[in-house]
């Protein structure tokens, strides 16, 4: 059964090929069946594989499929590598992916490019599965770039609007910065260790490199560069909010549940390297912490329902990075999984709300929609509770694990913990600000909203609701993967600390209730305080990062491009051209067009010739 | 015979000078015929009777008549005299005359070394004809093809535009 | 029947050739240009005749015949061109034919 892993990426690939070769001539019914069905088959295979893998008790299993190339000792194969980590990933990708595909058949039903959408989606799932199943870094990189491409294609899916194209380009270019770092990291790893097979490489690294030496630090740093690009962490986080230009299921699948967590996967996969470089690992924690706080502030000031969720995603991935940084490897992956559940739920719920309100995305033009949109209301209630780590929802377990691990870090542990808890507090505020503004208060528009009907929309939502609520009880089989890292021991923290961790998000919910639910406190009054408006603007613009990058990189680059538009090297060739043109203008004067002139020159030539003959 | 040669040479040079300075085109043509006939006389004095005959018949006769036809066709007559005079006025003379003078001086210098006398005997029609259709027969064929080509192209060129449509 | 020095015959040819050249260079009327050209050709023929006479050979006259043929063909084509030009430009001024100016 385990050898059937190769079927996993095959089904989406087939789906992609069929849809691509049909060139959009397929009717929507078959296209939807092929698009969603291929992922469904993949999920069935993944479930069967999971069962047999867990029963077999193996630590890992490799299925060689093909030799990619073999050149002078460099022989990366197309081998699929299955262990606890990739098992979790494939289950999340195919499971959540399948639900989102089913949902999309309803959501995109009216779109003329229906089959193109599923074509890209299937390609994405294929690439993502390659990414998590690849046993060497090259195959991983192939999948990595593949998902980047799909992300680009799907953000710019509605390419009629130039803004969408701009957002797609931005996402592509910004992640490319990280990918370049990652590629250099791969080169360095291969040059130093002679292999790109992940397991061999990690063993070699452990054997050859001392803890804290320079080489693992550099390589870990380069891989971290790739990870922050893909996972939208500081300093490359600016692309994710703009990526919301794509259709909402895309935001759910690619920009919340799966692709953006590829960075987390990469670091977890190469965690041995990071353990060899404790400083870089600590950097990972701080990157995550700062990102989650900044994104939290920004999310509180956004009005667009999808951008709020986007910043929330950035923030939650920040938690995962925090978890990775403090050595809570399985905690981070656990949070990845639960986050996939509840963030997919929130995005799909948001999609249902948006669709019901005729593509309205401004939360301040909704209001009091809980009666009209009961399913959306339920989505946001459950998803929001899970997101804010309400006790015994899925988010609670995973976030708990990360924060407790953070506390145990020597020296800076308390700070990391404190930052994480404050972030959780912000999470409560911005999540329920969204919740209260949309579903409570008075209706501020779209009074005639009607819930979108259809089983293919509702069913995935209900399944995701269940997963968001109870996903925390799912045991993740990660002990074998990370066993040789930090020893697992029972965490003991004081009841007070635990209490704070539970209470602060609830406190956040209470505050947003006061502001937006009951109207006891007023945001307008807060805004009238001196300086608050500027602060709001600052946070709303995502801490001015876009403007900073425009100033630091984009504008200088544009300036240089403008300067060099008349290529400096060209000047030399232009000079040659000008010279020959001048010579031409000089000589062309002899071509007067007058016959007599030509006869005259001939006669003069004759005279000259005879002179030469006579004189010599 | 010598006297005839120098006389004819004198006439030829004078007539030619008249050709190139004449403003009346018909007069110029008459002077040209005169010049050609003088040259024909020279040919005869040099013992080339066939060449002299051909010069008189073909050159001074046929070709000049062709010129005359064209001049009449173009209706160039008295009315172009003023135009010719205007065109000839000015300093356009100086450079060509200078150049031609230099060329002539060079030729004279080069020819000053040539010695010998022309033979008193005539090279008759028989001799010329025998050689023409002996070793030079290929040249004769080529010349006939050239004439044919000239005939066809002259016909084609002188046609009225659009004549083939009729 | 006195013999004529070859030099004199050749000098006469040179003079006629130079006069023809002056004519070609100075006249603007294309008919005159063509006539001057005839003068030059004729001078060439004269030179051949003189040379043939010097050595008592028929080849000089044969060359003259060939030149004559050439002149006849050239005049026929040239006059055809003149007629065509006159039709198109209503003038015989050779300077209007300067469209190949660089």
């Amino acid at each position: 059964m385990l050898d059937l892993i190769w079927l996993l990426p095959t089904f989406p690939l087939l789906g992609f090929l069929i849809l691509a070769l049909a060139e959009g001539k397929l009717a929507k019914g078959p296209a939807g069946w092929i698009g969603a069905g291929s992922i469904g088959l993949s999920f069935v295979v993944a479930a069967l594989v999971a069962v047999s893998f867990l029963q077999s008790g193996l630590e890992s299993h490799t299925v060689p499929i093909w030799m990619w190339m073999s050149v002078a000792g460099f022989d990366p194969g197309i081998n699929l590598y299955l262990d606890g980590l990739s098992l979790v990933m494939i289950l999340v990708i195919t499971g959540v992916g399948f639900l989102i595909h089913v949902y999309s058949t309803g959501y995109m039903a009216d779109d003329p490019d229906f089959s193109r959408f599923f074509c890209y989606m299937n390609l994405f799932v294929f690439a993502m599965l390659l990414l998590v199943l690849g046993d060497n870094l090259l195959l991983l990189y192939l999948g990595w770039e593949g998902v980047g491409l799909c992300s680009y294609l799907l953000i710019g899916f509605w390419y009629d609007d130039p803004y969408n194209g701009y957002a797609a380009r931005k996402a592509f270019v910004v992640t490319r910065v990280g990918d370049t770092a990652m590629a250099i990291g791969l080169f360095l790893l291969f040059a130093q260790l002679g292999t790109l097979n992940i397991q061999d490489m990690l063993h070699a690294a452990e054997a050859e490199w001392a803890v804290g030496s320079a080489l693992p630090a550099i390589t870990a740093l380069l891989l971290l560069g790739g990870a922050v690009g893909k996972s939208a962490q500081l300093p490359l986080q600016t692309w994710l909010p703009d990526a919301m230009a794509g259709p909402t299921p895309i935001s759910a699948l690619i920009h919340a549940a799966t692709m953006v967590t590829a960075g987390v996967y990469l670091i977890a996969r190469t965690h041995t390297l990071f353990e060899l470089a404790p400083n870089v690992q600590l950097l990972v924690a701080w990157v995550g912490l700062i990102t989650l706080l900044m994104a939290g502030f920004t999310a509180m000031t956004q009005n667009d329902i999808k951008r709020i969720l986007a910043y929330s995603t950035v923030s939650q991935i920040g938690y995962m990075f925090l978890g990775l940084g403090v050595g809570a490897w399985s905690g981070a992956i656990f949070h990845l999984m639960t986050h996939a559940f509840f963030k997919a739920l929130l995005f799909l719920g948001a999609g249902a709300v948006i669709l019901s309100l005729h593509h309205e995305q401004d939360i301040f033009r909704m209001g009091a929609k809980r009666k009209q949109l009961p399913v959306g209301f339920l989505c946001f209630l459950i998803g929001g509770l899970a997101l804010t780590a309400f006790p015994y929802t899925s988010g609670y377990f995973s976030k708990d694990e990360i924060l407790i691990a953070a506390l145990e870090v020597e020296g800076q542990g308390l700070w990391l913990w404190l930052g994480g808890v404050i972030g959780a507090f912000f999470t409560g505020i911005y999540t329920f600000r969204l919740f209260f503004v949309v579903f409570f208060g008075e209706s501020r528009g779209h009074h005639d909203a009607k819930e979108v009907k259809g089983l293919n929309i509702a069913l995935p939502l209900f399944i995701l609701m269940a997963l968001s609520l109870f996903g925390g009880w799912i045991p993740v089989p990660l002990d074998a993967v990370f066993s040789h890292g930090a020893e697992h021991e029972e965490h003991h923290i004081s009841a007070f600390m635990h209490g704070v961790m539970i209470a602060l998000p609830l406190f956040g919910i209470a505050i947003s209730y006061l502001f937006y639910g009951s109207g006891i406190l007023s945001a307008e009054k807060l805004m009238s305080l001196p300086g608050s408006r500027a602060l709001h603007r600052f946070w709303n613009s995502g801490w001015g990062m876009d403007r900073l990058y425009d100033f630091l990189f984009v504008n200088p680059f544009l300036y240089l491009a403008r300067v060099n538009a008349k290529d400096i090297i060209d000047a030399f060739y232009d000079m040659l051209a000008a010279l020959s043109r001048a010579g031409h203008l000089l000589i062309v004067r002899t071509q007067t067009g007058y016959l007599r002139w030509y006869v005259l020159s001939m006669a003069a030539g004759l005279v000259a010739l005879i002179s030469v003959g006579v004189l010599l | 015979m010598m006297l005839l040669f120098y006389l004819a040479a004198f006439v030829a040079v004078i007539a030619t000078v008249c050709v190139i300075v004449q403003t009346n085109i018909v007069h110029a043509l008459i002077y040209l015929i005169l010049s050609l006939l003088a040259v024909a006389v020279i040919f005869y004095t040099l013992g080339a009777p066939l060449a002299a005959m051909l010069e008189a018949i073909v050159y001074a006769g046929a070709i000049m008549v062709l010129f005359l036809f064209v001049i009449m066709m173009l209706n160039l007559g008295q009315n172009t005299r003023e135009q010719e005079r205007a065109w000839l006025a000015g300093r356009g003379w100086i450079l060509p005359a200078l150049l031609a003078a230099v060329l002539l001086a060079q030729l004279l210098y080069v020819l000053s070394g040539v010695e010998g006398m022309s033979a008193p005997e005539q090279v008759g029609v028989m001799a010329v004809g025998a050689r023409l259709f002996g070793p030079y027969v290929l040249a004769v064929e080529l010349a006939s093809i050239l004439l044919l080509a000239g005939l066809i192209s002259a016909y084609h060129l002188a046609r009225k535009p659009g004549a083939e449509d009729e | 029947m006195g013999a004529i020095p070859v030099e004199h015959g050749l000098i006469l040819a040179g003079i006629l050739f130079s006069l023809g050249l002056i004519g070609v260079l100075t006249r603007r009327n294309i008919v005159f240009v063509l006539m001057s050209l005839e003068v030059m050709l004729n001078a060439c023929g004269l030179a051949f005749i003189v040379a043939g006479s010097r050595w008592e050979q028929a080849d000089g006259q044969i060359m003259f015949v060939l030149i004559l043929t050439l002149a006849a063909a050239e005049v026929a084509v040239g006059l055809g061109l003149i007629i065509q030009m006159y039709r198109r430009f209503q003038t015989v001024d050779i300077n209007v034919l300067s469209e190949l100016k660089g």
Side-chain angles (χ1 to χ4, degrees):
Chain A
M1 197 63 226
L2 283 180
D3 289 335
L4 288 182
I5 316 174
W6 65 271
L7 280 173
L8 269 172
T10 306
F11 285 126
L13 182 63
L14 275 178
F16 159 70
L17 287 176
I18 293 172
L19 290 172
L21 295 176
E23 294 175 346
K25 291 193 184 77
L26 235 50
K28 282 182 183 176
W33 275 102
I34 291 170
S38 62
I39 312 299
L41 285 173
S42 266
F43 176 65
V44 171
V45 174
L48 292 173
V49 164
V51 169
S52 58
F53 180 77
L54 292 177
Q55 277 174 352
S56 69
L58 290 170
E59 253 189 43
S60 68
H61 185 72
T62 307
V63 181
I65 294 181
W66 202 270
M67 172 61 75
W68 191 345
M69 54 180 121
S70 180
V71 181
F74 176 64
D75 48 359
I78 300 185
N79 302 334
L80 302 183
Y81 176 83
L82 186 73
D83 65 354
L85 178 57
S86 41
L87 187 67
V88 174
M89 292 302 290
I90 59 171
L91 283 172
V92 169
I93 293 162
T94 55
V96 176
F98 175 57
L99 293 176
I100 293 172
H101 273 74
V102 171
Y103 175 89
S104 304
T105 58
Y107 187 87
M108 302 296 287
D110 295 330
D111 200 284
D113 285 325
F114 186 81
S115 79
R116 181 162 64 92
F117 180 80
F118 279 98
C119 178
Y120 292 163
M121 289 274 271
N122 278 3
L123 182 63
F124 167 77
V125 173
F126 166 70
M128 191 74 201
L129 286 172
L130 266 195
L131 198 167
V132 297
L133 283 173
D135 86 323
N136 59 64
L137 282 171
L138 200 63
L139 197 55
L140 185 149
Y141 196 70
L142 177 72
W144 187 273
E145 295 297 335
V147 294
L149 168 72
C150 294
S151 162
Y152 167 78
L153 290 173
L154 285 164
I155 294 170
F157 182 73
W158 289 316
Y159 52 80
D160 290 345
D161 185 352
Y163 170 75
N164 295 344
Y166 165 76
R169 280 202 305 281
K170 182 175 177 186
F172 202 67
V173 171
V174 172
T175 51
R176 204 55 58 240
V177 176
D179 291 354
T180 310
M182 181 173 159
I184 297 172
L186 297 196
F187 299 153
L188 193 62
L189 277 173
F190 183 72
Q192 292 295 323
L193 300 176
T195 177
L196 280 179
N197 183 296
I198 296 171
Q199 301 307 319
D200 295 351
M201 182 203 83
L202 293 180
H203 289 310
E206 233 173 353
E208 290 178 26
W209 289 344
V211 174
S213 57
L215 271 174
I218 294 170
T219 47
L221 212 54
L222 288 168
L223 291 185
L224 175 63
V228 297
K230 200 56 108 189
S231 292
Q233 296 294 294
L234 199 72
L236 300 177
Q237 85 283 34
T238 55
W239 65 271
L240 189 59
D242 287 308
M244 295 302 129
T248 308
I250 298 309
S251 312
L253 179 62
I254 299 184
H255 305 118
T258 53
M259 187 193 84
V260 288
T261 57
V264 179
Y265 169 79
L266 177 70
I267 293 178
R269 183 48 93 196
T270 57
H271 64 281
T272 317
L273 269 182
F274 285 84
E275 279 168 352
L276 290 173
N279 288 332
V280 179
Q281 200 188 345
L282 203 60
L283 179 67
V284 175
W286 279 103
V287 164
L289 183 67
I290 295 169
T291 311
L292 80 88
L293 286 174
M294 282 174 69
F297 277 111
T298 307
M300 285 193 293
T301 57
Q302 296 292 324
N303 291 342
D304 183 314
I305 185 167
K306 285 181 73 178
R307 286 181 83 90
I308 295 174
L309 292 177
Y311 279 108
S312 143
T313 305
V314 173
S315 167
Q316 295 307 307
I317 298 170
Y319 273 108
M320 296 175 210
F321 270 62
L322 178 62
L324 296 170
V326 299
W329 308 111
S330 45
I333 297 299
F334 190 31
H335 193 55
L336 187 161
M337 184 183 79
T338 57
H339 173 255
F341 296 152
F342 59 70
K343 192 51 66 68
L345 173 64
L346 282 170
F347 264 116
L348 295 187
V353 169
I354 291 167
L355 207 57
S356 306
L357 301 182
H358 312 294
H359 293 276
E360 177 62 69
Q361 299 200 3
D362 188 345
I363 56 170
F364 284 101
R365 294 170 68 183
M366 299 177 182
K369 293 285 179 279
R370 66 181 177 281
K371 293 242 170 53
Q372 290 156 307
L373 309 172
V375 177
F377 173 72
L378 215 56
C379 285
F380 273 87
L381 182 61
I382 291 171
L385 286 176
L387 177 59
T388 46
F390 193 80
Y392 301 106
T393 57
S394 60
Y396 166 76
F397 293 100
S398 52
K399 217 178 262 186
D400 232 24
E401 210 172 306
I402 290 170
L403 289 177
I404 291 168
L407 198 54
E408 286 172 350
V409 174
E410 282 171 42
Q412 298 159 336
L414 195 64
W415 292 109
L416 292 173
W417 178 81
L418 199 62
V421 172
I422 291 172
F425 167 61
F426 288 139
T427 310
I429 295 180
Y430 68 69
T431 311
F432 279 86
R433 168 175 172 268
L434 165 68
F435 178 70
F436 288 128
V437 169
V438 173
F439 294 105
F440 288 85
E442 63 214 42
S443 180
R444 284 175 292 263
H446 301 285
H447 311 291
D448 56 342
K450 269 207 196 69
E451 187 107 66
V452 179
K453 292 278 187 292
L455 195 62
N456 47 7
I457 286 188
L459 195 65
L461 291 177
F462 283 113
I463 295 174
L464 284 171
M465 279 182 216
L467 285 171
S468 301
L469 276 179
F470 307 115
W473 303 99
I474 299 174
V476 283
L478 292 172
D479 292 345
V481 182
F482 303 117
S483 58
H484 60 289
E487 299 87 49
H488 265 258
E489 56 196 66
E490 272 308 300
H491 301 301
H492 295 292
I493 60 165
S494 65
F496 169 70
M497 297 276 201
H498 213 196
V500 169
M501 278 161 52
I502 295 175
L504 266 179
L506 297 179
F507 187 47
I509 297 175
I511 284 180
S512 58
Y513 176 72
L514 290 179
F515 271 106
Y516 297 103
S518 67
I520 295 171
L521 292 172
S522 149
E524 279 73 30
K525 263 184 202 152
L526 199 64
M527 288 295 287
S528 62
L529 289 177
S532 64
R533 196 160 287 277
L535 202 60
H536 179 271
R537 239 196 334 269
F538 182 55
W539 285 346
N540 188 36
S541 67
W543 295 68
M545 294 295 275
D546 276 335
R547 218 171 311 155
L548 183 68
Y549 287 161
D550 276 352
F551 176 72
L552 281 182
F553 302 111
V554 178
N555 288 342
F557 181 77
L558 287 178
Y559 172 74
L560 281 178
R562 258 199 304 277
V563 168
N564 207 22
K566 284 179 71 70
D567 201 327
I568 292 157
I569 309 247
D570 273 357
F572 175 68
Y573 299 104
D574 284 348
M575 196 187 71
L576 279 186
L579 215 65
S580 49
R581 184 163 299 147
H584 157 76
L585 283 177
L586 206 65
I587 295 172
V588 83
R589 290 182 180 207
T590 63
Q591 302 296 310
T592 55
Y594 294 120
L595 190 63
R596 291 185 297 162
W597 170 260
Y598 298 140
V599 177
L600 192 69
S601 2
M602 275 169 70
L606 182 64
V607 167
L609 216 61
I610 296 178
S611 317
V612 171
V614 167
L615 292 178
L616 298 181
Chain B
M1 223 39 156
M2 265 181 78
L3 191 65
L4 195 57
F5 172 81
Y6 289 113
L7 197 63
F10 180 72
V11 171
V13 171
I14 295 298
T16 307
V17 170
C18 286
V19 169
I20 61 172
V21 298
Q22 190 52 254
T23 52
N24 186 317
I25 195 160
V26 181
H27 290 184
L29 198 61
I30 303 294
Y31 278 119
L32 183 56
I33 293 172
L34 180 59
S35 160
L36 292 173
L37 287 174
V39 172
V41 170
I42 290 171
F43 287 171
Y44 185 73
T45 60
L46 288 175
L50 179 66
M53 290 311 239
L54 286 176
E55 177 91 0
I57 296 169
V58 177
Y59 237 130
I63 295 179
M64 289 307 121
V65 168
L66 203 59
F67 265 99
L68 203 61
F69 274 143
V70 170
I71 288 165
M72 292 188 326
M73 219 165 146
L74 300 182
N75 201 15
L76 300 170
Q78 294 292 327
N79 54 341
T80 53
R81 284 193 67 174
E82 284 72 37
Q83 193 187 27
E84 286 297 322
R85 200 165 286 142
W87 281 349
L88 280 175
R91 287 175 301 175
W93 281 98
I94 298 170
L95 191 61
L98 211 63
L99 196 70
V102 172
L103 185 62
L104 184 60
Q106 282 180 335
L107 288 177
L108 292 181
Y109 177 75
V110 172
L111 294 175
S112 61
V114 177
E115 282 180 5
M117 306 297 269
S118 65
E121 278 81 35
Q122 290 201 343
V123 179
V125 180
M126 272 283 267
V128 175
R131 279 193 81 68
L132 205 53
F133 290 99
Y136 282 100
V137 70
L138 185 65
V140 172
E141 292 301 325
L142 286 176
S144 64
I145 291 175
L146 179 67
L147 280 174
L148 182 64
L151 174 72
I152 294 171
S153 52
Y155 169 73
H156 174 75
L157 285 170
R159 220 168 22 154
K160 278 203 175 94
E164 72 265 36
D165 297 340
E166 289 165 15
Chain C
M1 258 325 218
I4 299 144
V6 173
E7 202 184 348
H8 291 183
L10 291 179
I11 286 171
L12 177 62
I15 290 171
L16 290 179
F17 186 85
S18 302
L19 285 172
L21 181 62
I22 292 174
V24 169
L25 288 175
T26 52
R27 304 307 295 235
R28 279 176 71 179
N29 187 328
I30 194 163
V31 182
F32 276 101
V33 172
L34 211 54
M35 277 157 65
S36 305
L37 220 52
E38 292 306 311
V39 173
M40 287 172 81
L41 273 174
N42 195 40
C44 294
L46 177 59
F48 272 109
I49 295 289
V50 170
S53 157
R54 161 73 175 74
W55 278 285
E56 275 183 82
Q57 294 293 321
D59 304 68
Q61 290 188 54
I62 288 168
M63 280 303 150
F64 174 76
V65 170
L66 294 179
I67 287 173
L68 197 66
T69 323
L70 176 70
E74 178 242 328
V75 164
V77 174
L79 289 175
L81 282 170
I82 288 174
I83 290 169
Q84 201 60 256
M85 170 190 170
Y86 191 74
R87 281 211 190 105
R88 197 158 292 181
F89 300 106
Q90 302 301 321
T91 177
V92 285
D93 185 359
I94 199 168
N95 284 4
V96 303
L97 298 180
S98 60
E99 282 169 24
L100 282 179
K101 188 175 188 306

